[in-house]
Amino acid sequence: MDSFSVLVGGKAGDGIAEAGRMIAYLLNRLGYRLYEHIDSPSLIRGGHTFVIIRAHGRRIGAHQDRVNVLIALDSTTVEAHSWRLKGDHVTLYDADSVTAESLPPDTAGHRAGVALRSVLADLGAPTVMRNAAVLGALCRTLGIPWLLLEDVVRRHQPKQTDLNVMVARRGYDAVGERLKVHPVEGASLPIVTGLQAAGLGLLSGGLKAYVGYPMTPSSGLLHFLAEQALRFELKVYQPEGEIAAILMALGHAAAGERVAVGTSGGGFALMAEGLSLAGQAELPLVVMLGQRTGPSTGLPTYTGQSDLHFAMHAGHGEFPRAVIAPGDAEQMFAWSRLALDLSWKYQLPVIVLGDRTLNDNSQSYDETSVPALPRLSHSAWDERPMAAEVGRAYLRYLLREDGISPFAPFGRSGAIVKVNSYTHDEWGLTTEDPLLTAQMQEKLLHKDRAMADELARLSLVNVYGDPRSSRAIVTWGSPTGALREIGELAGVRVVQPVVLRPFPVRQLADALVACDRVAVAEMNATGQLATLMEQHGLPVHTRLSRYNGRPWAVGELRQHVEEALA
């Protein structure tokens, strides 16, 4: 097989995600490109959790609903997922938790039970090592050599390695070979989550400080950067709440340090006043906004794309910002790095929109697929020596044609630095003068236009599938992975705008030229991207909406797309 999927299911707290990761590491060694979909409730223990690991000989970016191997660690997994089994398949189950009688009727030889508790008891192994036995049984079922499995276990299970190997061997010997998986051509690639890729992009862009209050689905970035802090001389903070987080971040920006803050919907709502402060004081800031099902608490551990309009308009008053929505790990790396450059060149907030699917699901990371984006100037004050601009006096908010003023951080020799949340003059002194008020508002608009002009020279809209097709499906963010594949399979044009503010009207229009049928697919109830397109005079014939907290699988989305574009 050069394409197959494995589902592992059990109770939350039973190490289901770790089992999925180990399976992904193993298949990665065989040269497969991988995508790992995690479905978990907002519970520490109990409830039902499952992981689907999809492997393919070429690049993929989404899961399939149907699977070849079902690994059931409890009876709930059998009841909930037996319908997914397809073609030549195998069910592996914990014989201490699932009885053979509870399994659905099947052809002999398609199922095998391993008494996991008994195996662990015989070897004196802790419950957490059950995953090693599961991995062993899976490898034997798929015809994967024992030596490869042993090497993977030793590399990725550094604690009690020998005991883990013994447990894996017991699982390996407990079943027989049923399906044969062959290695595919291609080197093993790194497996990363979207947030890990974003963290690497931020570090590559010169990040010096990160502030976050834990909130799904942005917590992974806080954890990842905290692990890298010493290596990169990075300051990482977890303050008492989201308001403190954004104010701490703005303090770092005022002191001249590249900074990012992470949050989700409810936390971003609390940050709205701080976002307006960044707009008025012209402080650079990157906000990593992870979307989940809402409103309010909603479904904390499930996905959605309902915060687009909120991100574009959050805050009071009128001030410029950029909103960027990457669609995969490679785009997360490149656009998170550019977001830092953009925020510092134009001294404004840049919001990077992710969601639970993109942020936390793992996928193969191919460096050759990283968008080739230019690096922007690192800091405004390096480019524009203040003495040449304003003589001996430092005007923090100097009126310029492009709206970008010289920015000196606190402690710069020869400059009295002011950061003012009030309407102010060029010096940064508070003013209520009507003429100055209007000039300073126009200054922000000039900066917005200058940023839009520079971004327009980049590729802001991606086209996949058949670019000559008269049928097009438009999407943003995480559905891009599934639709990129569907575009190739179904021969339709797939269009993905990455930057959503400033809205790339001309590039989107060019991407949709000669299309007589346009559908827009997004994970919200009201069609937020479709509404933006219609507001800018772009065609939308059909809206595909999903708002149940679960991402589209490739197969079901393909069916919806073909019906919408028929």
Side-chain angles (χ1 to χ4, degrees):
M1 294 187 296
D2 67 350
S3 175
F4 62 96
S5 295
V6 179
L7 185 149
V8 186
K11 295 181 178 66
D14 282 353
I16 304 302
E18 177 61 23
R21 277 191 291 270
M22 290 297 293
I23 293 170
Y25 292 144
L26 181 76
L27 298 177
N28 187 49
R29 291 285 298 276
L30 295 173
Y32 286 94
R33 301 297 174 256
L34 300 162
Y35 186 86
E36 181 184 0
H37 165 63
I38 301 174
D39 187 295
S40 59
S42 55
L43 298 170
I44 296 174
R45 298 199 68 84
H48 177 61
T49 296
F50 69 92
V51 175
I52 297 176
I53 305 97
R54 184 181 176 212
H56 206 294
R58 58 177 174 79
R59 186 187 187 198
I60 53 175
H63 71 290
Q64 288 275 23
D65 264 341
R66 300 288 180 169
V67 301
N68 304 91
V69 181
L70 176 65
I71 302 176
L73 301 184
D74 62 3
S75 57
T76 300
T77 302
V78 175
E79 297 165 3
H81 301 292
S82 290
W83 66 270
R84 297 179 184 273
L85 290 166
K86 65 176 182 179
D88 197 12
H89 61 263
V90 174
T91 299
L92 299 175
Y93 62 95
D94 180 1
D96 288 328
S97 301
V98 181
T99 62
E101 292 74 20
S102 68
L103 297 171
D106 205 344
T107 306
H110 279 205
R111 60 176 65 147
V114 181
L116 296 179
R117 281 202 302 268
S118 302
V119 168
L120 298 179
D122 287 348
L123 296 173
T127 303
V128 71
M129 289 190 182
R130 183 167 63 167
N131 291 336
V134 168
L135 195 63
L138 176 65
C139 284
R140 183 62 175 270
T141 298
L142 298 179
I144 297 174
W146 163 253
L147 290 178
L148 176 58
L149 169 59
E150 181 181 4
D151 185 59
V152 168
V153 172
R154 291 190 180 279
R155 284 175 180 269
H156 296 286
Q157 297 289 359
K159 296 181 179 179
Q160 295 183 287
T161 303
D162 291 339
L163 186 54
N164 268 298
V165 170
M166 292 171 64
V167 172
R169 186 72 210 197
R170 290 287 290 270
Y172 191 85
D173 292 339
V175 300
E177 183 178 321
R178 175 64 198 179
L179 307 175
K180 186 63 178 177
V181 170
H182 299 283
V184 296
E185 292 185 6
S188 298
L189 295 178
I191 302 172
V192 301
T193 66
L195 285 180
Q196 288 171 338
L200 293 171
L202 291 170
L203 290 169
S204 176
L207 186 73
K208 296 300 180 186
Y210 181 80
V211 193
Y213 183 80
M215 190 172 187
T216 307
S218 65
S219 302
L221 184 55
L222 177 64
H223 300 159
F224 175 73
L225 290 176
E227 292 171 353
Q228 310 301 322
L230 292 178
R231 181 181 177 189
F232 290 94
E233 297 183 351
L234 178 71
K235 303 179 184 72
V236 178
Y237 304 97
Q238 179 189 317
E240 68 273 17
E242 288 88 349
I243 295 174
I246 193 167
L247 294 179
M248 286 182 72
L250 293 178
H252 278 280
E257 291 191 334
R258 291 189 166 215
V259 64
V261 62
T263 189
S264 187
F268 188 59
L270 292 170
M271 292 182 177
E273 186 175 8
L275 195 75
S276 297
L277 171 57
Q280 176 74 291
E282 301 187 46
L283 292 172
L285 174 70
V286 171
V287 179
M288 305 299 294
L289 175 55
Q291 301 168 97
R292 63 193 201 186
T293 310
S296 191
T297 307
L299 303 179
T301 60
Y302 290 93
T303 198
Q305 291 182 299
S306 55
D307 293 343
L308 173 57
H309 288 181
F310 182 31
M312 295 180 72
H313 302 291
H316 53 284
E318 297 171 308
F319 58 93
R321 93 276 308 268
V323 178
I324 300 171
D328 56 34
E330 291 86 358
Q331 291 179 13
M332 273 291 237
F333 174 86
W335 285 99
S336 295
R337 180 173 63 184
L338 186 78
L340 266 180
D341 284 352
L342 202 62
S343 70
W344 280 84
K345 179 168 184 177
Y346 292 95
Q347 302 165 34
L348 45 68
V350 177
I351 300 166
V352 179
L353 275 173
D355 59 53
R356 173 67 162 82
T357 300
L358 176 58
N359 284 9
D360 292 343
N361 287 350
S362 298
Q363 56 190 284
S364 296
Y365 180 87
D366 187 352
E367 193 173 20
T368 64
S369 298
V370 174
L373 299 175
R375 296 300 308 275
L376 306 183
S377 58
H378 278 222
S379 56
W381 60 84
D382 286 345
E383 287 188 352
R384 300 191 175 121
M386 288 178 292
E389 290 284 347
V390 295
R392 299 181 65 181
Y394 170 50
L395 300 180
R396 167 63 185 96
Y397 298 105
L398 176 68
L399 294 171
R400 291 179 49 88
E401 186 176 342
D402 60 5
I404 306 173
S405 306
F407 175 17
F410 293 135
R412 175 131 183 171
S413 176
I416 300 174
V417 178
K418 300 180 182 67
V419 177
N420 200 338
S421 67
Y422 280 72
T423 300
H424 44 256
D425 61 12
E426 291 181 282
W427 294 89
L429 299 174
T430 299
T431 182
E432 296 180 355
D433 180 88
L435 177 60
L436 282 173
T437 299
Q439 287 178 325
M440 285 298 165
Q441 181 63 60
E442 290 161 5
K443 175 185 189 299
L444 297 180
L445 299 180
H446 293 328
K447 185 160 57 173
D448 208 9
R449 284 191 289 269
M451 177 180 65
D453 289 343
E454 178 158 22
L455 282 173
R457 295 192 287 271
L458 306 180
S459 179
L460 309 181
V461 178
N462 298 319
V463 179
Y464 308 103
D466 183 358
R468 297 167 297 178
S469 173
S470 62
R471 302 177 301 156
I473 181 83
V474 184
T475 194
W476 61 282
S478 65
T480 301
L483 284 168
R484 185 173 57 216
E485 188 172 344
I486 291 166
E488 298 170 359
L489 295 172
V492 299
R493 193 183 315 189
V494 175
V495 177
Q496 177 216 2
V498 182
V499 174
L500 298 171
R501 177 169 174 170
F503 198 64
V505 180
R506 180 169 296 179
Q507 289 194 27
L508 255 179
D510 291 343
L512 294 172
V513 69
C515 285
D516 55 28
R517 189 74 180 169
V518 177
V520 181
E522 49 190 320
M523 293 187 295
N524 55 62
T526 57
Q528 296 187 18
L529 173 60
T531 298
L532 283 174
M533 291 174 61
E534 290 174 337
Q535 289 173 347
H536 288 90
L538 296 168
V540 176
H541 302 106
T542 307
R543 300 183 183 209
L544 296 179
S545 295
R546 189 174 183 91
Y547 39 89
N548 63 3
R550 276 69 176 177
W552 276 297
V554 174
E556 63 169 336
L557 183 54
R558 179 179 179 179
Q559 181 179 347
H560 293 321
V561 168
E562 291 180 340
E563 290 172 356
L565 297 180

